Amino acid sequence: MPDLDWRAWLDKLGRLWRSSLQVRTVATTVLLSAVAVFVIGGYMSFSVGTNLFDSRRVDLTATSEKATLAGQRIFSEAAEQVSSEEIEVTMGDAATTILSAASTNAGTQFAILRSPGQDGPSTPADILTRGLDTDQVISPELRAAVQGSSELRTHSQSVSLTVDGVQQPGLVIGSILEIRGARYELYLVYNIADVAQTLGFVQQTLVFGGFALVLLIGAVTYIVVRLVVGPVQLAAETSEKLAAGQLEVRIPVKGDDVIATLARSFNGMAASLQNQITRLAALSQVQQRFVSDVSHELRTPLTTIRLAGDVLYDQRESFPPATARTAELLHTQVERFELLLADLLEMSRYDAGAVDMETEPTNLVRLVEDAVHTVASLAESKGSELRVVAPGGYFEAEVDARRIRRIISNLLGNAIDHGEGRPIVIWVDSDKEAVAIAVRDYGVGMTAAAMERVFDRFWRADPSRQRTTGGTGLGLAISLEDAALHGGWLQVWSAPGEGSCFRLTLPRVRGAVLKSSPLELPPPEETATLGVLDA
């Protein structure tokens, strides 16, 4: 459970990052400011620390040189002393003088050590501050540097001192003393914890100051972004409402700044769009009402003409040849006129959004077979063989059978008209999500420009071409609307001289969203002979 909570929290944070410009801007500004403050603060801390240490080392070096001179003066004045008691007293006086001249705080220590490898008496003996561990504080490298130097030359080294169990920074400065012809090493050990304290105070000030600066930058950025992004968010919300059809919404205008100018311009654009959309909607309603009214009004005289035409058509055998031919043409055109009126009424229903579906589980293979049997005689008269390829599978889908049958009939009629007497193959296949029907002919085909307009109303690729099925020019447009009503796709592939293929893809369950089609477009040729049903 904690792992799931952690993942959910990360997902929520990711969505907030992607969706909020304000969060991204403030977070990016704070992050970059923190990096800049860290770099600048680190540089300042390093510079201050280096300057403090160098300055303290210069001061202590000068102090050590004075202490060395003071000690050397005492030893030079006592050069004639012979007895060990006198030498020891002189060593004590010199040590006191050196420590007094070198002391900058109570923690200063010293050591006077005889350089090894010298001849002569080993007196005076080494002397050092009680508790000073020379092996730990004075490194061999420092001793070697001091031993190889001339008089009054100093050498320094940073060390770590243990004071009451606490590690503190220190500085050891070494030099040479000449005592009765022998070389002695003078080491002054200084505790520079005060420098570390000063540096710590500076670093603490930089940390708190940098943190406060980053917070201040974040707050200022938040306020500025809020002032800028707030109106943009309001404009986005208003745009969404306009897109949803709420044409009366507007952005409140406050002040005379750039944001207010943007709001006034947006409101002017919205008002202009509202006027245009309202005018076009009214014009569309008038047009739809006109088409619907004209279609309905034409039904009555058309019915009368149809009845009179049927009487003439039934008696055409008794008419002279020219009159009989006229009766046949009248009968054919009246039928086409009735189809055109029916299609116009159907398109007017789609335009008005007054179309309903009556769906039920339907076996599309049986639906295709019915449509194929309906046009079989027409295909035979054109010399086209109809083949139904149904590999088997799911097939049943929740559809409006009347509308799907109309789509298939339209596709078959187009294939017969443009198939040039070659075979026409109808594929039916499905998967768990969708069902597809493809009608493939091997006729004249279409160009890319023709494919872009093939679903336009009253458009024909070749207006001079004679149609066997007597179409109205609305068949594919209505088929596209029927497919969209089911939440499906009606797609076309074509190539000049290679024929055309129309593929209808429908979801198996009403309301489902299509992601892919069970059939390729066009289906592969090698499957044309698999699962062939008798048409």
Side-chain angles (χ1 to χ4, degrees), residues 89-111:
V89 171
T90 302
M91 284 287 288
D93 294 341
T96 301
T97 302
I98 290 172
L99 188 60
S100 175
S103 293
T104 58
N105 54 51
T108 303
Q109 299 174 298
F110 77 97

Side-chain angles (χ1 to χ4, degrees), residues 374-439:
T374 302
V375 299
S377 59
L378 180 60
E380 185 178 355
S381 66
K382 294 286 289 185
S384 294
E385 177 189 359
L386 299 178
R387 301 175 185 174
V388 178
V389 180
Y394 304 90
F395 290 132
E396 274 201 355
E398 295 181 10
V399 298
D400 187 330
R402 179 182 66 86
R403 297 183 185 278
I404 300 304
R405 185 181 290 108
R406 179 168 59 188
I407 295 175
I408 299 171
S409 297
N410 281 327
L411 297 182
L412 289 174
N414 281 333
I416 292 171
D417 280 333
H418 300 89
E420 298 294 315
R422 297 187 180 94
I424 297 173
V425 186
I426 304 98
W427 278 270
V428 186
D429 203 354
S430 61
D431 55 25
K432 293 183 178 180
E433 306 295 335
V435 61
I437 301 170
V439 178

Side-chain angles (χ1 to χ4, degrees), residues 10-253:
L10 281 182
D11 291 340
K12 184 177 180 180
L13 185 62
R15 287 193 299 271
L16 179 62
W17 176 266
R18 290 189 298 270
S19 61
S20 177
L21 176 62
Q22 186 171 345
V23 170
R24 292 200 303 272
T25 303
V26 173
T28 303
T29 304
V30 169
L31 179 62
L32 294 178
S33 300
V35 171
V37 169
F38 175 78
V39 172
I40 295 174
Y43 174 76
M44 292 180 62
S45 175
F46 176 78
S47 299
V48 171
T50 302
N51 289 335
L52 284 174
F53 182 77
D54 290 344
S55 175
R56 189 58 180 276
R57 182 171 55 184
V58 170
D59 293 343
L60 293 179
T61 299
T63 302
S64 298
E65 291 176 352
K66 294 179 181 179
T68 302
L69 287 174
Q72 186 62 57
R73 187 179 302 110
I74 293 176
F75 286 123
S76 298
E77 293 174 355
E80 301 300 328
Q81 295 177 351
V82 178
S83 64
S84 57
E85 291 80 3
E86 293 176 340
I87 294 175
E88 294 299 334
V89 171
T90 302
M91 284 287 288
D93 294 341
T96 301
T97 302
I98 290 172
L99 188 60
S100 175
S103 293
T104 58
N105 54 51
T108 303
Q109 299 174 298
F110 77 97
I112 300 177
L113 308 176
R114 182 183 176 90
S115 297
Q118 300 185 80
D119 298 330
S122 58
T123 56
D126 296 343
I127 184 172
L128 53 106
T129 304
R130 184 187 300 273
L132 177 62
D133 188 351
T134 56
D135 293 335
Q136 181 180 3
V137 174
I138 304 172
S139 67
E141 292 79 8
L142 179 60
R143 291 205 64 177
V146 173
Q147 291 169 10
S149 65
S150 59
E151 295 183 9
L152 302 181
R153 173 73 181 275
T154 60
H155 297 271
S156 61
Q157 186 180 56
S158 299
V159 295
S160 176
L161 304 178
T162 302
V163 180
D164 297 331
V166 179
Q167 295 292 323
Q168 295 181 356
L171 183 67
V172 179
I173 299 178
S175 59
I176 290 294
L177 291 175
E178 188 75 26
I179 303 177
R180 300 181 63 188
R183 290 170 63 86
Y184 282 77
E185 303 162 21
L186 171 63
Y187 295 99
L188 295 171
V189 182
Y190 297 96
N191 188 323
I192 56 174
D194 55 337
V195 175
Q197 292 176 354
T198 303
L199 180 60
F201 175 76
V202 171
Q203 291 175 340
Q204 184 178 10
T205 303
L206 289 175
V207 169
F208 283 110
F211 184 71
L213 179 61
V214 170
L215 289 181
L216 179 61
I217 292 175
V220 172
T221 304
Y222 174 80
I223 294 174
V224 173
V225 171
R226 184 75 177 174
L227 292 174
V228 176
V229 174
V232 176
Q233 289 178 336
L234 181 59
E237 294 173 358
T238 306
S239 300
E240 291 178 355
K241 293 178 180 179
L242 285 173
Q246 302 179 30
L247 302 178
E248 71 284 352
V249 295
R250 297 292 184 271
I251 300 177
V253 180

Side-chain angles (χ1 to χ4, degrees), residues 314-373:
D314 293 339
Q315 299 178 5
R316 67 186 183 281
E317 300 295 337
S318 61
F319 295 154
T323 306
R325 178 58 180 163
T326 301
E328 291 175 355
L329 290 175
L330 177 62
H331 179 77
T332 302
Q333 293 304 315
V334 168
E335 285 185 341
R336 186 169 182 272
F337 197 6
E338 284 184 328
L339 290 175
L340 178 60
L341 279 179
D343 288 347
L344 286 173
L345 282 173
E346 188 70 13
M347 292 304 300
S348 67
R349 294 190 191 98
Y350 275 115
D351 292 340
V355 180
D356 295 324
M357 283 201 311
E358 297 179 1
T359 61
E360 60 180 354
T362 304
N363 188 312
L364 295 192
V365 176
R366 300 292 174 259
L367 205 63
V368 169
E369 289 177 339
D370 292 344
V372 167
H373 284 302

